[in-house]
Every structure is written in structure tokens, then in C-alpha cells.
Amino acid sequence: MRDLPLLTDAASASTPAASPADHPTLEGRRRGLLLYPEFPSSSFWSYRSIMPMVGAKAAFPPLGLLTFAALMPESWSFELIDLNVRRPPDAELRARIAGADAVFVSAMSVQKRSLLRVLEGAGRGLDTPWVLGGPYASSFRDEILDPHTASDEVLHRGLDLLVWGEGGQWTATIDRVLRSAEGCRHSDGRPTLLIPAAIAAQEPGSRKMLNDRSIFRELDTTPPPRWDLIDVRDYRAMMVQTTVGCRFRCDFCDIIQFNGGFTRPKTLASVRQELSALHALGYRGGIFTVDDNFVGNPDAITAILHEMIAFQREHGYPFSFYTQASLDLGSPKLAHLLPLMRQAGFEQVFLGIENPDPAALNAMNKKQNVKADIPGTVAAIQGAGIEVMAGFIFGGDADTPATADRIAAFAERAAIPTAMAGMLTPIPHTPLTERLRAEGRLLPSEFSSSNVTDEVQFVPHGMTVAEMRSGYDAMLRRLFAPGATHRRSAALLERLQPHVFHARHGRRADLRAALRSLWRQGVASASRPAYVRLLWTAARLDRNRFLGAGRAAREIQRRLHAHDRGRAIAPEREAAELLALVDHACDAMVRAGSERALDDVAGWAAGLRERITGGRVTPDDLRSLSHWGLEYFALQRKLHRFPGAYVEKAFNLAIKGLHYETVMRGIASSA
């Protein structure tokens, strides 16, 4: 593909790369092979070490590749090889690569080694062209185009097209190039880069174009991913994406460089269509909403949450959701979103806390965190029944060796079991990297931008390289030593208030996972005492909630009976209790009364609160409130009936903790 020009504008998709006489096109149907490289077992997000326990082969499907396949012209047919699910023998893999008209890869930096193994092994010496997209192609394009290491030289020779940003904007161009006389065959020459001209022309690390809407275009109605290309039973959870981009400017973040500096939502019709597609497959379970910042566009996400709630109510809450969001989720301005997330069935949210020290956050340009009450935000989310997972970064210019201990101590105080701690990592085309380059502080690293190793990739400011490495190792040991995750998990359960929108799926795989956990962690583990205390805490909380719901239901019935006999409401004491009951009744009405629209539920609640406060409650009000209050506590009893929501959560946390402990041991042993 050496003779093809550099294509630097998505708009050129309708313009031929060269004259038809010079580059005749190949007509007819084409066969594409989608290839997803392996995540290393050392990645927090791989969960590879626990997949056999939970009855899955991989944690998540390759959403980007499946979406790309749905956007390509219908003349292309596809098959998928997800190396996280199955690694075919080299002979089989080579035959499938040779039989395809093109190989399409999406990758992150941590998947580089896996991609190299295929290019140097089964894919070597074949004529099939290779197309690389995803974050790695966007952020590391310069390293591939102008290689300075042996591994980058392999990528330079082995790849033919590099696709910057969202693949959907380039599908017509990709199709045209791969049908041309040169593009239809692999070349060892310089890959062709598909990138907007304005992005290619700007200085590395520049953020001048992040709000350019001619580059980062609004998302039209997009088709659902090609779920038919996978077996959903191979994966622990599914994925959807409702928005793209983020309005914040954290100096280490590369995502906004190719997804944009503002949040672009999908249409409500697209969101519903994607949920419907998963439901039609028979899938029931967790869905990771992989938005760059779920609350980046509050108005858009409010509408999307209403659509998700409507879908869940119509289908009996088949899904539970988790996502990633900025810390301003806890701000007064966004206070309306947490109740909506509960009602949609969100059970976990990942926050980029990074560091509890305001000086460190300012150094990262993480201004939204400086403005936030971080402990208060975490507590508010946990109180809403949603677990907080968090990312932490060690090694910024404001950090010292003592920072590692302070980060671990914060995770303990805040009861955050899933504390994904990494070293600050310079990624190409970010302000952080360019600042470090200008200061002469970058260190050579062939497999850079993996923050789950103890390889220091720059000269730190407040400590030596050795101190940074040892501080990181000490932080991981404190966070994930045997029993440490169990203790934070038990503390979380004491703060967590599971909501009635929790989706219980009763999968056999979950029962098998619990039994395997009991043996592996409860019998054959050094952390057995902390594990037993975790399960005991969960069982105690479920029992208390179950019995408490029964008592509350009987009190409602007693009060209603007394009122029917003519006893008036005590203005102060009973009015306060009735107001508290309204919130429970609303939850029950949303969860079990799907015939009533959300706006009707809100209107009913607002009117009832006004009448209670004004002392104008009618007998019909009391009967309606009592009916839905009783429904709420019936849902509570169902939620906490053994094995209840707390016990289920305890097993999930314990099993995840086993993976984090495995990752920690691997990093420590390589030190």
C-alpha cells in the first residue's frame, strides 16, 4: 500500500484516492476478518484469572469491532476471532487470515504484545491487508509510522491502514482503498493513515480542535453492533455506548484527543434499539455502559436515562448497568441524575478519583475533582445503592513516596473495594507527554502506556525512579494483600443500601461461582477469616433488611386500619413518616407499576407531598400511599430473601478481589 496517498479528511470518502484508470476497484462481495487481541492477565480489566470461576471465557465483547462491522457496506461479510475467548492454533488462524480479503483489528496499548504475536506468527508473509483502529491506532500513530523500536517496526511492516478516531466516519474510504489494485494486497511499506487534515497538522498534545464539530460530528442513528458474530454466553457482561466524548481536560487523557472535547449523545431510538437487540438474543445480566463520561452531557443523559428506565420497566428489569463518570455526579447541579440511575438499574459506577490531594489534582488539570467533595460524593453514591469503583494514579509531580500510602488509606476510609491503582503513564499526543518531553523527562519504553506494571516511564519530580517503583508496589500490597479487599468490601456493605431496581437473574453460573469461591477463598485461602467475616456481614444485613421490611409492612397496615376507624394523623410525627414513605412508594410504583408513566409518578408524589405538608391528606391518599408502601416492602423482602442482595454482592466482590490480588502478585513478582 506504499503508493497510496495519505488520506487526511473523512470528507474524502466520496472523493477517489486516485483516478479510476490508475487504481481500478474490485467489485463484488468481500470477506472481512475481525481480530481482537488478548488483554494481558496483568490488566485489572481483563478479569482473566476469574473467568473460569464465573463460567465465562472473557469479561467483555469487542464492542468497537462489532459496531464497525455494522457500519461497513453490506457488501462486506464478517467473522470474528476474539483471542480473549479462544486462541486458535497457528495453522487455523493463518488459514482464516489468508481466506479473508482484509483483517480488521481494534486495540488498546495493553493489547500490543498480542497483536505482535499474530503479525510475527500466523499472519506473517500473507497478502491479506491489515487495518488497525481503536485507541492504539489513534494515540500511537507516530510510533507506527516512524518506528524506533523492534516491536514498532513489526507494526510498521505488518499494518496497511491506520484509522484515527471513530471508524464509522471512514467506512466508505476503507471500502474504496481495500478494493483498489494496491490496497487489496498487503505491503511491507509505510501504512496509510486515515486522519482529518486539521488533526494531522496540529502540534502533538494540542487541544485546539477538540470542539470542532466538523471533525467530531453529532452521532446520527447508528445500527446496533453485530451481536450475531459472537456467542453472548462466552462473556461475563455485555456493552453499550450511549454518548462519546468528555468536556474535561485532564492532561494525561488521550481519549478526548480522538473522541472529542464535548459529549455527543446517540439518539434515543438508537439506545432503545441496542437494548432491544441484546434482549432479543435472550441475554439477561450486566451491561457496561462504556461512555467516556456518562454524565458529560447532563441534559442528554437525563433523556437517555428516561429511555433506559422505560425499557427496563417494559421488560421487567432484565439488565443491570454499570458505567464510568466524572466526580461532579455528586454535585448539586447533577443531583437529579442519581435517582434516575437507580431507577434505570445502575449498580456500579467507576470514578476517576486519581488522588485525594488537591495539589496533585491541580497538577493533572483535574479541576472537576478539586471542586468536588470526594468523600461526600462517594458516600452519596453508595447511599443510593450504587457501588463506587475508582481509579487512582500515583506519580504526578505533586506526589512523594508518602502519597502511595495516602491513596491506599483513602480507599480504605471510603470503602472502595475496586481500587484500580496505576502509575502515571505518558500517552502520546497528550499535554502530559509533551510537557515531559520538553523537560527531557521521558524514559524509553518499548511497551509503554501500560499502567499496570511497575515500569517507570518518566523521571518523577518528587521522588526517585526507585522510590516511585517501590511506592507503587507498596500501594498495591496494601490494597490487595490477602484479606484487604474483603475488609473494604465488608465496610462497603455496611454503607450500601441495595435498591429495588436491582436485577436478580438467578444464573446457574453464579451459583457455581459462589460454590467455587467458598472452596477457593473460604477453605483453601490464607484470607479465610476476612472472607468469612465478609459473608457473615452480608448475611446479617440481608436478615435485618428482610425482617425490617416485614415490620414496616405491618406498621403500615396497623396505621391504615387505625385511620379507617377514625383516628386522625398526628400533624408532626406521622406527617414526617408519611413523607419518608412517599419516596419508597415512588420506587415501588416505578419498579412494579409499569402502566404509569414516569411523569405521572412524579406528579402523584409531588401532589401527595404537598397535601401531607399542608395537612390535607385524604383517605384515598392514605390508601394509595399504603398500597405502594406495602408493595415497596414486599419488593424489599424479595430482594433480601436468602441468598439476598448483600450475600450476592459479597460473593461478587470476593471473586473480583481474587483477580485483583492475582494481578498484584504478578506485578510484585516482576519487580
Side-chain angles (χ1 to χ4, degrees):
M1 204 169 287
R2 176 181 300 132
D3 297 328
L4 284 175
L6 178 70
L7 303 178
T8 57
D9 199 333
S12 69
S14 59
T15 305
S19 68
D22 294 332
H23 300 294
T25 59
L26 304 175
E27 302 297 334
R29 296 197 59 81
R30 311 293 283 170
R31 300 183 305 277
L33 176 63
L34 307 173
L35 183 73
Y36 198 49
E38 283 181 280
F39 281 91
S41 58
S42 62
S43 167
F44 279 125
W45 289 101
S46 75
Y47 295 106
R48 185 186 299 177
S49 62
I50 60 171
M51 285 300 103
M53 286 183 69
V54 299
K57 297 177 181 177
F60 308 110
L63 182 66
L65 279 175
L66 299 177
T67 302
F68 172 78
L71 291 166
M72 280 290 280
E74 293 184 0
S75 57
W76 282 85
S77 62
F78 291 98
E79 64 171 331
L80 169 71
I81 297 178
D82 184 349
L83 297 178
N84 299 280
V85 170
R86 176 177 176 263
R87 176 69 161 82
D90 277 358
E92 177 190 339
L93 183 56
R94 185 173 180 83
R96 293 172 74 175
I97 293 171
D101 293 304
V103 178
F104 300 91
V105 182
S106 179
M108 292 185 259
S109 58
V110 296
Q111 295 168 286
K112 178 181 179 180
R113 292 182 189 272
S114 176
L115 175 57
L116 288 170
R117 284 194 295 270
V118 178
L119 288 173
E120 292 185 295
R124 189 170 186 174
L126 297 176
D127 289 335
T128 308
W130 287 70
V131 181
L132 176 66
Y136 193 74
S138 296
S139 293
F140 289 82
R141 58 187 185 268
D142 296 341
E143 283 72 13
I144 298 173
L145 293 173
D146 185 20
H148 292 88
T149 68
S151 60
D152 289 336
E153 181 64 37
V154 171
L155 297 177
H156 180 88
R157 294 195 314 269
L159 300 172
D160 298 281
L161 274 178
L162 302 181
V163 181
W164 178 92
E166 298 159 24
Q169 65 185 316
W170 300 106
T171 52
T173 305
I174 292 169
D175 177 56
R176 188 184 70 244
V177 169
L178 293 177
R179 289 179 182 275
S180 68
E182 289 79 9
C184 70
R185 295 174 63 86
H186 170 68
S187 165
D188 286 346
R190 179 183 174 90
T192 296
L193 173 64
L194 306 185
I195 189 170
I199 299 295
Q202 70 179 0
E203 292 296 318
S206 171
R207 291 185 160 173
K208 293 180 180 179
M209 311 303 298
L210 291 188
N211 289 324
D212 190 323
R213 293 176 184 265
S214 68
I215 296 174
F216 302 104
R217 302 171 184 176
E218 294 298 329
L219 303 179
D220 297 325
T221 300
T222 54
R226 287 285 307 275
W227 297 119
D228 59 296
L229 297 175
I230 68 168
D231 184 342
V232 296
R233 295 171 297 183
D234 288 338
Y235 299 93
R236 180 61 176 170
M238 291 291 104
M239 287 177 156
V240 298
Q241 186 169 30
T242 66
T243 67
V244 177
C246 178
R247 67 182 186 274
F248 296 115
R249 300 292 186 268
C250 309
D251 78 338
F252 56 81
C253 180
D254 66 323
I255 301 298
I256 58 173
Q257 300 294 111
F258 51 82
N259 277 354
F262 60 99
T263 299
R264 295 168 288 142
K266 288 184 177 178
T267 65
L268 299 183
S270 292
V271 173
R272 174 171 281 269
Q273 191 177 18
E274 292 193 26
L275 296 178
S276 297
L278 287 171
H279 189 267
L281 288 173
Y283 178 74
R284 306 292 184 268
I287 295 179
F288 186 10
T289 308
V290 294
D291 300 34
D292 302 319
N293 178 5
F294 187 70
V295 299
N297 184 332
D299 291 339
I301 214 60
T302 297
I304 287 170
L305 281 168
H306 276 90
E307 191 68 27
M308 296 172 78
I309 294 167
F311 182 91
Q312 290 274 70
R313 297 177 76 202
E314 292 166 15
H315 296 86
Y317 280 78
F319 306 134
S320 57
F321 294 101
Y322 46 108
T323 192
Q324 48 199 12
S326 51
L327 266 167
D328 59 336
L329 174 59
S331 68
K333 184 179 179 181
L334 303 186
H336 65 289
L337 292 180
L338 263 184
L340 293 176
M341 290 176 70
R342 288 176 67 252
Q343 293 174 0
F346 278 82
E347 298 187 4
Q348 296 169 288
V349 61
F350 181 89
L351 302 178
I353 294 176
E354 321 306 5
N355 196 314
D357 180 9
L361 295 171
N362 275 316
M364 300 175 188
N365 201 36
K366 197 93 177 179
K367 297 177 181 178
Q368 67 273 24
N369 287 22
V370 177
K371 297 175 182 178
D373 173 7
I374 300 178
T377 295
V378 172
I381 295 171
Q382 292 169 338
I386 300 173
E387 177 196 350
V388 171
M389 306 178 289
F392 296 97
I393 296 177
F394 173 62
D397 282 0
D399 290 352
T400 68
T403 301
D405 198 55
R406 288 196 291 269
I407 289 174
F410 176 86
E412 292 168 356
R413 290 194 305 273
I416 300 176
T418 302
M420 297 186 175
M423 282 201 285
L424 182 63
T425 303
I427 302 176
H429 293 280
T430 62
L432 169 67
T433 296
E434 295 314 308
R435 175 172 61 82
L436 294 174
R437 190 191 312 280
E439 296 171 359
R441 294 168 58 192
L442 287 178
L443 297 175
S445 177
E446 184 166 7
F447 293 92
S448 61
S449 297
S450 172
N451 67 350
V452 291
T453 71
D454 65 353
E455 179 185 7
V456 180
Q457 299 170 23
F458 64 97
V459 178
H461 178 74
M463 64 193 109
T464 66
V465 168
E467 286 173 332
M468 184 168 168
R469 184 182 296 114
S470 63
Y472 179 59
D473 290 344
M475 179 171 60
L476 289 184
R477 291 178 191 278
R478 178 168 174 176
L479 286 171
F480 303 116
T485 305
H486 299 331
R487 288 188 287 274
R488 294 199 305 279
S489 296
L492 169 65
L493 295 185
E494 296 282 5
R495 305 180 189 193
L496 203 64
Q497 300 179 30
H499 51 68
V500 296
F501 309 100
H502 172 75
R504 303 192 69 179
H505 309 294
R507 296 182 294 191
R508 291 182 180 178
D510 294 333
L511 176 59
R512 289 194 295 268
L515 293 174
R516 290 165 179 161
S517 172
L518 283 170
W519 169 253
R520 186 169 174 181
Q521 297 178 276
V523 176
S525 171
S527 60
R528 181 171 59 253
Y531 177 83
V532 171
R533 283 194 295 271
L534 169 62
L535 295 186
W536 175 255
T537 298
R540 171 177 56 81
L541 290 169
D542 271 325
R543 181 177 183 276
N544 290 346
R545 288 295 179 90
F546 180 82
L547 295 176
R551 288 192 296 269
R554 290 191 294 274
E555 177 61 20
I556 290 174
Q557 293 171 327
R558 183 197 63 77
R559 184 175 297 157
L560 182 61
H561 180 66
H563 186 271
D564 287 343
R565 292 170 58 186
R567 188 175 68 81
I569 296 175
E572 296 180 1
R573 181 176 63 83
E574 291 198 55
E577 293 175 357
L578 290 176
L579 285 171
L581 187 58
V582 171
D583 293 333
H584 295 328
C586 279
D587 281 353
M589 199 175 290
V590 173
R591 181 66 176 86
S594 59
E595 71 283 353
R596 301 186 70 158
L598 281 181
D599 289 343
D600 292 341
V601 175
W604 173 84
L608 186 52
R609 288 190 184 98
E610 182 180 345
R611 291 191 293 277
I612 292 173
T613 303
R616 296 179 284 107
V617 182
T618 68
D620 285 344
D621 285 336
L622 285 177
R623 290 189 184 93
S624 178
L625 180 59
S626 298
H627 169 77
W628 289 109
L630 289 170
E631 179 65 32
Y632 172 81
F633 289 113
L635 289 169
Q636 278 280 314
R637 285 174 65 83
K638 182 179 180 181
L639 182 65
H640 294 289
R641 183 177 295 120
F642 185 83
Y646 282 111
V647 169
E648 178 185 332
K649 186 71 174 178
F651 275 116
N652 286 335
L653 290 168
I655 292 170
K656 282 200 301 182
L658 181 63
H659 170 68
Y660 304 143
E661 186 179 329
T662 303
V663 170
M664 182 274 292
R665 286 200 305 268
I667 295 173
S669 65
S670 66

